[in-house]
Amino acid sequence: MSLPDRIDPRPPRRIYRWDLDKTYLQTDFDSLRDLLRTAFQKAHEKVAVPGASALIRELSENGDSRLCIVSGSPKQMRAVLEEKLKLDGVRWDEFVLKDNVGNLLRGRFRALRGQVGYKLPAILESRVKAPAEAEEVLFGDDAEADAFIYSLFADLIAGRVDERVLSQVLEAGGVYPDDAERVRAAWKQIPVSDPVRRIFIHLDKLTPPAHFTPYGPRVVPIFNYFQAALVLLADGHLSAPQVLKIAVEMVQTAGHNIITLSNSFQDLLRRGLPLQQAAVALSQALEGPNKLLAAMRPMPDILSAFSKRLAALGTPPPPPPVQAVDYVSLIHHALPRNHKGRGKPPT
């Protein structure tokens, strides 16, 4: 009996799509000086957003997921970015960077800053190669149009956006004809399904969470990755011990403390996120002896208080029905030049 030449990996059950700048990495490019400093940083000088690398590592633990990165950073930064990810213990399956040199040489100046014509075809083409049943969770930030692009991606493959609306959006977004054709070509190859479960938007610019209400409950603005971990616990992507490992790393390496984390929890509750069972699971995980969680020992009392508060509030009302997203109107607000407003993180 002969053995097969190779054993192919099992198809992914879940796909996690991440942006890099201001989503995974703490990046400043609001001025030319910031841009130059970022461009010349070495891998060990780049700093990940607290909790981001821990979250990615925990999500990959089951071995049935794919990590796909689509970043607006230029291709020339691939080596240093890959080295940084390796230093953080992050393993990826796809890594797409922007061809800004090519855009310059071809005189495609809108493409240097434009994101719709870059990210939308990139993630649609990636989805073409994914199993139809694979669920997706996407991570972006409020510095660009990630909420808009990710939501449009989700509604395109779910059949909730038609050709007419797509054409209007691509035109309003200043997408070049060849990129628009890539969008349409990839979209037509994808079987109709509704795989996108969550879209997390890291509030790097402290945009008020209410700014994202038009996108519906699928889009969850977060001030930190402990909040993302809590929602992913409730959604079944993480276990309670995994969430606590992420919290411990944020406490030990990033200056967070039990007060900031508990306030982050309460912020999600105020926004109506269904975290009742997550609170119970965390309480149970903290009951047993675990040296790793020693730094979190005050948390059981806080979670107990949460549970009492939730019991007093009763069962939360069901989320409102998902409304159709008006992408033609939102494209004008999603572009960076029209970005307005600043909010405050939970303190």
Side-chain angles (χ1 to χ4, degrees):
M1 179 178 175
S2 61
L3 294 174
D5 293 333
R6 68 177 189 181
I7 299 176
D8 291 328
R10 55 180 169 172
R13 190 163 68 96
R14 289 167 174 156
I15 297 170
Y16 300 107
R17 300 192 187 277
W18 281 72
D19 183 28
L20 276 187
D21 294 316
K22 298 182 182 291
T23 301
Y24 179 81
L25 290 175
Q26 294 180 345
T27 310
D28 292 320
F29 44 70
D30 295 329
S31 68
L32 179 60
R33 183 177 180 179
D34 293 334
L35 191 61
L36 290 172
R37 183 173 63 248
T38 298
F40 288 101
Q41 277 182 328
K42 293 180 170 57
H44 69 273
E45 295 172 327
K46 293 186 178 295
V47 179
V49 176
S53 59
L55 175 58
I56 289 177
R57 291 194 301 270
E58 294 304 322
L59 288 172
S60 69
E61 277 297 299
N62 291 333
D64 59 355
S65 65
R66 286 176 61 84
L67 172 61
C68 302
I69 301 170
V70 178
S71 168
S73 293
K75 288 184 174 182
Q76 290 71 25
M77 294 185 66
R78 178 176 294 277
V80 69
L81 292 173
E82 288 187 347
E83 184 181 350
K84 169 59 180 171
L85 292 170
K86 290 175 182 176
L87 288 173
D88 291 348
V90 171
R91 294 174 293 178
W92 63 92
D93 299 281
E94 261 181 54
F95 194 178
V96 180
L97 295 171
K98 201 172 188 179
D99 185 13
N100 274 339
V101 171
N103 287 326
L104 276 172
L105 292 176
R106 296 168 62 190
R108 294 161 57 98
F109 301 114
R110 290 198 309 273
L112 296 176
R113 286 182 55 82
Q115 293 297 319
V116 176
Y118 165 62
K119 283 189 178 178
L120 185 57
I123 59 179
L124 283 168
E125 288 167 351
S126 175
R127 181 68 197 183
V128 169
K129 299 174 284 187
E133 65 276 9
E135 297 181 350
E136 299 219 11
V137 177
L138 297 93
F139 299 82
D141 58 74
D142 61 342
E144 296 170 340
D146 288 342
F148 180 90
I149 295 167
Y150 290 168
S151 292
L152 180 58
F153 163 74
D155 284 343
L156 277 170
I157 59 181
R160 288 188 286 266
V161 172
D162 60 24
E163 177 76 35
R164 179 185 61 84
V165 170
L166 177 61
S167 295
Q168 289 179 291
V169 166
L170 295 177
E171 181 178 358
V175 176
Y176 285 98
D178 58 338
D179 290 329
E181 182 54 36
R182 287 174 57 205
V183 168
R184 294 187 178 95
W187 178 35
K188 292 174 182 177
Q189 295 181 63
I190 301 172
V192 176
S193 61
D194 197 7
V196 177
R197 296 292 174 261
R198 290 286 182 187
I199 296 169
F200 292 101
I201 299 297
H202 178 237
L203 299 175
D204 177 81
K205 296 177 72 69
L206 303 181
T207 304
H211 175 85
F212 300 95
T213 301
Y215 295 104
R218 179 176 54 200
V219 173
V220 181
I222 55 166
F223 289 102
N224 57 61
Y225 282 109
F226 180 60
Q227 291 187 317
L230 289 169
V231 176
L232 289 168
L233 168 60
D235 289 349
H237 290 250
L238 293 172
S239 67
Q242 287 178 306
V243 173
L244 292 173
K245 285 174 68 176
I246 294 166
V248 167
E249 180 167 310
M250 292 174 68
V251 167
Q252 293 178 340
T253 65
H256 282 269
N257 57 54
I258 197 65
I259 303 301
T260 62
L261 295 181
S262 64
N263 286 348
S264 295
F265 200 135
Q266 288 179 311
D267 172 56
L268 294 177
L269 294 178
R270 285 194 298 268
R271 290 194 252 149
L273 274 293
L275 299 179
Q276 287 76 9
Q277 293 304 314
V280 172
L282 288 172
S283 296
Q284 292 173 344
L286 284 162
E287 287 174 357
N290 191 326
K291 293 181 180 179
L292 176 65
L293 304 179
M296 307 300 291
R297 292 320 303 173
M299 190 174 269
D301 293 336
I302 292 170
L303 289 172
S304 176
F306 284 163
S307 300
K308 291 177 182 177
R309 180 183 174 195
L310 291 170
L313 291 173
T315 303
V322 176
Q323 302 291 324
V325 179
D326 186 355
Y327 291 103
V328 176
S329 297
L330 286 172
I331 181 67
H332 301 290
H333 301 284
L335 301 178
R337 65 177 178 271
N338 290 328
H339 185 87
K340 298 178 181 179
R342 291 177 68 84
K344 294 182 179 180
T347 57

